[in-house]
Structure formats: structure tokens, C-alpha cells
Amino acid sequence: MQKAEIVVSKPSGPEGPVRTGELLARDRGMLTVRWDDDGSEERVPISATTTFMPRGSLRHEAFADPAGFAARLEKDAVGLFAQVLREVGGRQRSGDLKKHLGELGLDSVAVDRAWRRAQKRLGEVEGVTEANNAYRWRPARHEAPVTGGEPPAEEAGPAAGAEVRAEPDAFAEASTPAFTGEDASAPRQLLRGLLEQGGRDVEAAPLPAVLDLLIAVDGDLTEDDERRVDEAARVLGNRLESSSAEERGTIGWDGLAKVAARLPLTPGGGRSALLAAAFEQWPERITEEIWWRDVDALRLAACESDLRRLFSDAAVQEQVIAPRVKREAAQTANRKGLAQLLALPARFMECLPAEEVAAAFRRVSRTDPYAAAWLDALEGKSSSHH
């Protein structure tokens, strides 16, 4: 069975060196780890500095050998971008691919340069498809979603969902990161079974186990699977908000952010619940772009009641709300857009200078006689528009 890596910051803090090892077992909040540096085995508690990643993944490479990772960008840009597609899943544009590598610590200028070299050849890589300037990984049926490990044997992978789903302990074991390197459909089967039972096991399972399972559910999902993932994320977010600080400390912000970024932002949905919980635990990191990927001002406004406390934060207003509201105003090109802009909540409009609203009116009035008449009236001009 392919094992995962555990990465634990040493006591010197997040800027200090990290120690990596193979995850052998998990017993609630305790991990059994075989350390890479000296081969010793040790039981250690999960903490806020604990991060999981599959061996051979890009995150593992970036953590374990950052210099080698940067060198690979220069030597094998095509292969690196292809691996991003393989690990992240879904439809990715060039900006998405470059952003992912930037989040792994690579220099943005170097990534841009590498993309220019790799762009024309990426679509020629076996397994990569391109359509409308977007790329997607289409793996063979037998292929695991993450590179770097040995192909799973036919009998590997806990595909017997009926036996697994009824046992909370089995759930905790099966949904550890070691689970993610096996049959790509197994996490979906487990999640489906858990939620079809009314979600009782999702409510009762250890928080890290729920997060691990959500990270493992990746790739192209059916509409029903997407609904189940969103529901499990909502349960996780609600549990985090009501958990003790010690319990919340067993969850890593990067894993939670990765799950949140995959979900649509909807009122009462999983991403809203995760954002609200993350703000309570890591308010200083909530403005990082990964939390707000693919979210525009209209989606934010729709979730104002869920995220009212978060939206009251000055940093969120400045770094998350303001740029999206200004982008919405700059892209307004018709009466419907004007109506949506003017209907934004008051805290959103506070981030938008009046002249940018006026510019939106002038832009629409060039092609819309009704908007032109409104603008004339607002400016006190007699109107000849009908």
C-alpha cells in the first residue's frame, strides 16, 4: 500500500526546518511515524503544524527538496505542468496552473517563463486534453490520481464500502492520506455510504479523518458526488466552529483551503461553512487567494448572511471584497449588470468609489437608451433618448 508523508515543523517554528516521515498508523489524535532522517519510529500527536501529503506529490517535492523543485521547473516544465493537472484535477486554465505552482513556493517570474516554453507542448502529453484554452487530465482507468507511488495492485484499495462505512474506526483508518493513493473511486464510495446513512459517522468521526477523506475525493465527480462532498464539507465546517481550540488544532489550514477551493460558494453550502470556521481559527490567513479562488462579488454578496462576521474584518474588506467589487463595476456592460451592482450590500458598496459607479453608467449608456436617459436625469441634463 502506498503510504503518505507526514511533515512536522520542529519547535523552532514555521520558518524553521521540517521533518518528514512515513505515516504508519493513526489512533485518534496520535500518529505512528517512521522518520526519514534516522529511520526511527515514534508516536507523535497531531498538531496545527502537521501536514499530510502523498509521497512523490508536488507538495512533497516542494517541502522535501525546494531547490530541486525549482530546478525541475527549468529542466522539465512540461512534465511539471502535466503533473499539476494530474494532481489538481478538473479544468484548469494557464492562470490556474501557474497559481498552483506559485502556492508551492516557485517564483512567479520563473513560472511565467516556464509556461511560455511549455504551453505549446502541454497538449501533446499523453493524458492531457485541451479545449478553449483550458486543460484537463484524463487518466487511464487503472491510473491513480497522484504520481510518485507504485501503481496499486488489483486487490489494493478498500473498495468494499458496505463494510467500511458502518464502522467509525474503519472510517478513520481508511480516510487517512494513505488511502488517497489507492483506487480513485474508493473515497467516493466511502463518502457516499457515510452520507446515505444520514451522515452520523461524518458527525462522529475524528476531524482530521473527515478532512483527509474530502482531500482524497478528487477528479471528475458526478452531480450527486459533488452534492455529497459539499454536504460533508458543511458538516466539517459546522463541527469546527463548535469545536474546542485543541480539536481545531488537529486540522491543517492548507488541507482545509484545498477542499474549500474546489467547492462552489453558495448560501448555506460547504465552502461557506469552511470559510466561517477557518476565519475563527486562522484569521490572519483568510485573505490568502486560495480561499477565494473562482469567487466574484456576486457570489460573495449571496453569502453575506453566512459570512457576516468574516466580511466585517477590515483585511477581508480591503483584500477580498474591494478588488472583486471594483472588478464587477469595471465589467458591467448592460442594465442587468447595473442592477446587480446597485443591489450589492452596503458593506460592499463602501468599497466602491462613486466615480467607478458613474463610469459603469456611462459605459452602459453608450449602447442602452434607457441607461442613457437615466444618466442624463442623474446629471441634470435634458434627455432626447426614448
Side-chain angles (χ1 to χ4, degrees), residues 10 18-21 34-40:
K10 289 185 178 178
V18 297
R19 195 179 188 191
T20 66
R34 180 185 295 125
W35 296 113
D36 292 334
D37 51 12
D38 59 11
S40 63

Side-chain angles (χ1 to χ4, degrees), residues 141 169 236 242 373 381:
R141 294 180 67 87
D169 290 341
L236 175 60
S242 60
K381 298 177 183 178

Side-chain angles (χ1 to χ4, degrees), residues 295 301 334 364:
V295 174
N334 52 42
V364 175

Side-chain angles (χ1 to χ4, degrees), residues 80-96:
L80 197 58
F81 282 110
Q83 189 172 346
V84 173
L85 282 173
R86 185 176 184 182
E87 292 187 11
V88 173
R91 186 169 175 267
Q92 304 290 321
R93 295 190 178 275
S94 60
D96 301 322

Side-chain angles (χ1 to χ4, degrees), residues 171-209:
F171 165 81
E173 179 181 352
S175 59
T176 59
F179 188 69
T180 66
E182 306 297 339
D183 177 7
S185 67
R188 301 178 206 176
Q189 293 171 359
L190 179 58
L191 183 62
R192 185 179 302 124
L194 290 167
L195 291 177
E196 283 175 354
Q197 294 183 83
R200 291 185 300 274
D201 285 347
V202 176
E203 292 277 7
L207 293 176

Side-chain angles (χ1 to χ4, degrees), residues 3 11 15 23 89 114 117 135 172 211 235 262 267 269 346 361 383 385:
K3 293 294 184 180
E15 301 303 321
L23 176 63
R117 297 196 309 270
Y135 302 83
L211 179 59
V235 172
R262 294 178 185 161
F361 264 92
S383 175
H385 303 285

